[in-house]
Amino acid sequence: MSTTKDLDQLLESFVKRGLPGCSLKVVQRGNTLYEGCFGAADLDTQKPVTGNSLFRQASMSKIPLYTVMMMLYERGRFLLTDPIGDYLPEWKESQKYVRHPNGYVDIVPTQNPIRIQDVLSMKCGLPYCNSDAPTDDLTLRGMQECMRPLWAKGHYTLAEQLKAVSKAPLAFEPGAHWLYGFSSELAAGIIETVCEKPVNDVFAEMLFEPLGMHDTAAIFRSDEQERLVTLYQRNAEGRLIPGPDFFDKKHLPGAEHEAGWARLYSSTDDYSRLMQMLACGGVCDGRRIMSKTTIDLMRTNTLSEEQLADFPDAGYGYGYGFRTVIDPAAGNLNASLGAFGWTGGFGTWCEADPQEGLSIVYMHNLLPNDEQYYHPRVRTAAYGLL
C-alpha cells in the first residue's frame, strides 16, 4: 500500500519535473485520507498553491452539468428518450453528412431526432468548435460557418450559440457513434429551458449551495480572480509562459464577456464535496442530494462494442456524462468496476468509486496538460491508500 508520505513525494516530484503547482484531496466515506498542495500558484510572485487556490475546470465542468441534468431527470422534468427539439425548437430537425465510397459527400435529413440520451452520452454528432482555425474536419467546418457571425459580434449568449449551431450538419446519425464535443452546450440549453433561468443559477440552487460548494462558479464574484492559479503554457523551447486568456475572460461579469456557457472554476476541497456525494450514493453530510439509483444509471456504460472503438480511454466506457471503469485490466487501473469521473483540458482529474465510498480530486492548470503522465500516477497512488 502507499502512504500519505508517498503521495507527498509524488506531488513534490511533479513540481520538480516542471509542473508549476498542484493540489490533491482523497476522501473515503467522509474521512479525509489525504490532502496536499505543492508548488506555486504563480511563478513570478512564488505565491504557493493552498487549499484556497482555485483552478479552471474546463471539461470537468461537465460533471456538475450532467449531475444537475440527472437530478432534473429523476424529478420527472424530462425523459431520456425525449427529442431535444421538445425543449430547443431550432433542433426539432437535423441534417447529417453521408460519405460515399467515391469520396462524394451528401447532406441529408437524419432518420431520427437527437434525443436527450444522445446528448448525455456524447452521441449527438457535433465536435467542439472554439475557433476559426483551418481544419480538414468537414463537420467542424460546418460549425465554424455557423459561428462566424457570433465571433464577429464578439460576444454571444448560450441561446444565440445554440440557435446558430442548429443549422450545422451532424457527423453521423444521432446515437450511432461517440464524439466528444457540443453535447454539453445542448445540455446546458435544456436546463435553462426546463428551469426557466440561467444555467449557472440552476447549478448554484440545485447543487453548489446544498453541497456547500462556495468556491465553485462560472463568473467571478469577489476575490476569485486573485485566487485563481496562473495558467501556464509550455512553449517550443520548453519554457513556461502565461497561457491564453480566452477562458478567463468568460469568467468576468457583464454581457460583453459572454461566449456561450462559461466553464467553471473550483477548488479541490469544493469539488471533493461533489465527488463524495456521488461516491456515497447521493448523500453529503447526512443530507440526500439525489438518488443512488440515478447515480448508478449515470455510471453505467452506454457504449456498444462498435462505439467503444470511438472512445480513447482503455478500460473505460462512457455513461451519462462520465467515463466509467468497465475493464480494470485493459486500462491498468487499480480501481473498482463502475468507478467514474472525467478530466479537464487544463489538467484537472477526478474519480468517484461507490464500491469504496472513495473520491479523488486532483488539479493543476497547464497547457499542454500532460495528463497521461500525471493522472495515472495520482490514481494509482490514491487507490494505494486503501
Side-chain angles (χ1 to χ4, degrees):
M1 64 179 289
S2 65
T3 65
T4 56
K5 184 177 179 180
D6 292 320
L7 279 168
D8 283 343
Q9 293 174 342
L10 179 65
L11 299 186
E12 286 174 345
S13 77
F14 290 175
V15 175
K16 291 177 181 177
R17 186 176 184 265
L19 194 66
C22 59
S23 180
L24 170 65
K25 187 165 186 176
V26 184
V27 185
Q28 185 178 35
R29 300 187 180 97
N31 299 312
T32 299
L33 304 185
Y34 179 82
E35 188 169 14
C37 302
F38 293 85
D42 183 85
L43 294 175
D44 289 338
T45 64
Q46 284 299 300
K47 180 174 65 175
V49 174
T50 69
N52 202 39
S53 296
L54 301 177
F55 296 80
R56 301 158 190 81
Q57 298 306 300
S59 288
M60 227 162 76
S61 304
K62 291 176 173 60
I63 292 186
L65 172 71
Y66 291 118
T67 298
V68 166
M69 279 289 286
M70 295 304 288
M71 291 170 72
L72 292 169
Y73 158 75
E74 71 177 10
R75 297 179 187 187
R77 303 299 295 273
F78 54 76
L79 297 177
L80 298 181
T81 51
D82 286 348
I84 65 170
D86 290 354
Y87 306 90
L88 305 171
E90 297 90 350
W91 292 80
K92 283 187 177 295
E93 297 179 355
S94 296
Q95 295 180 308
K96 64 180 179 181
Y97 292 108
V98 175
R99 296 161 177 81
H100 300 285
N102 62 5
Y104 291 162
V105 178
D106 287 331
I107 298 176
V108 302
T110 59
Q111 295 172 298
N112 300 291
I114 301 172
R115 300 187 185 277
I116 289 180
Q117 64 192 20
D118 301 322
V119 169
L120 293 174
S121 58
M122 289 284 173
K123 300 173 188 172
C124 78
L126 290 173
Y128 270 126
C129 179
N130 293 324
S131 77
D132 207 13
T135 177
D136 293 329
D137 186 315
L138 189 62
T139 308
L140 186 52
R141 290 210 304 265
M143 295 177 73
Q144 288 175 330
E145 184 176 343
C146 295
M147 284 297 299
R148 283 185 186 116
L150 296 184
W151 288 332
K153 178 184 173 187
H155 59 88
Y156 49 89
T157 65
L158 173 62
E160 289 174 323
Q161 184 181 22
L162 291 176
K163 185 175 181 179
V165 177
S166 68
K167 300 176 178 64
L170 311 180
F172 47 76
E173 180 69 19
H177 294 279
W178 187 88
L179 177 63
Y180 191 63
F182 197 74
S183 291
S184 297
E185 280 67 26
L186 291 169
I190 292 168
I191 289 173
E192 290 198 343
T193 298
V194 168
C195 297
E196 299 182 328
K197 61 182 66 176
V199 63
N200 291 312
D201 292 349
V202 180
F203 288 166
E205 293 174 13
M206 291 185 61
L207 200 61
F208 300 155
E209 291 172 6
L211 284 173
M213 296 173 64
H214 305 302
D215 283 334
T216 305
I219 306 301
F220 295 136
R221 300 161 298 188
S222 56
D223 66 341
E224 290 92 351
Q225 190 167 8
E226 290 72 38
R227 292 163 54 199
L228 193 69
V229 303
T230 301
L231 173 64
Y232 287 99
Q233 183 171 8
R234 203 172 295 280
N235 65 14
E237 292 76 37
R239 188 168 56 88
L240 292 178
I241 59 174
D245 62 357
F246 169 74
F247 284 102
D248 288 3
K249 288 181 178 178
K250 294 174 68 173
H251 294 309
L252 297 173
E256 68 275 16
H257 300 298
E258 282 193 80
W261 169 49
R263 298 300 186 268
L264 304 174
Y265 55 80
S266 188
S267 64
T268 50
D269 185 65
D270 250 30
Y271 213 97
S272 289
R273 296 185 66 79
L274 169 60
M275 298 308 290
Q276 259 296 282
M277 183 273 288
L278 294 172
C280 295
V283 175
C284 180
D285 294 339
R287 178 180 180 183
R288 178 161 295 283
I289 304 297
M290 63 188 303
S291 166
K292 175 183 180 298
T293 57
T294 302
I295 295 172
D296 288 341
L297 175 60
M298 292 162 65
R299 65 190 183 99
T300 298
N301 176 46
T302 66
L303 304 184
S304 66
E305 286 297 321
E306 294 76 16
Q307 290 167 343
L308 282 170
D310 302 325
F311 195 68
D313 300 324
Y316 286 98
Y318 197 82
Y320 288 134
F322 302 79
R323 67 179 180 186
T324 183
V325 176
I326 59 175
D327 189 342
N332 298 307
L333 307 167
N334 59 340
S336 306
L337 283 171
F340 64 112
W342 198 237
T343 68
F346 298 129
T348 53
W349 171 77
C350 66
E351 193 152 285
D353 187 332
Q355 180 173 313
E356 300 289 346
L358 182 75
S359 62
I360 311 168
V361 175
Y362 168 81
M363 296 184 184
H364 73 242
N365 278 176
L366 179 68
L367 288 174
N369 66 29
D370 203 8
E371 66 179 58
Q372 294 305 320
Y373 178 88
Y374 296 108
H375 295 175
R377 286 169 168 78
V378 172
R379 177 195 296 110
T380 303
Y383 271 101
L385 293 172
L386 302 183

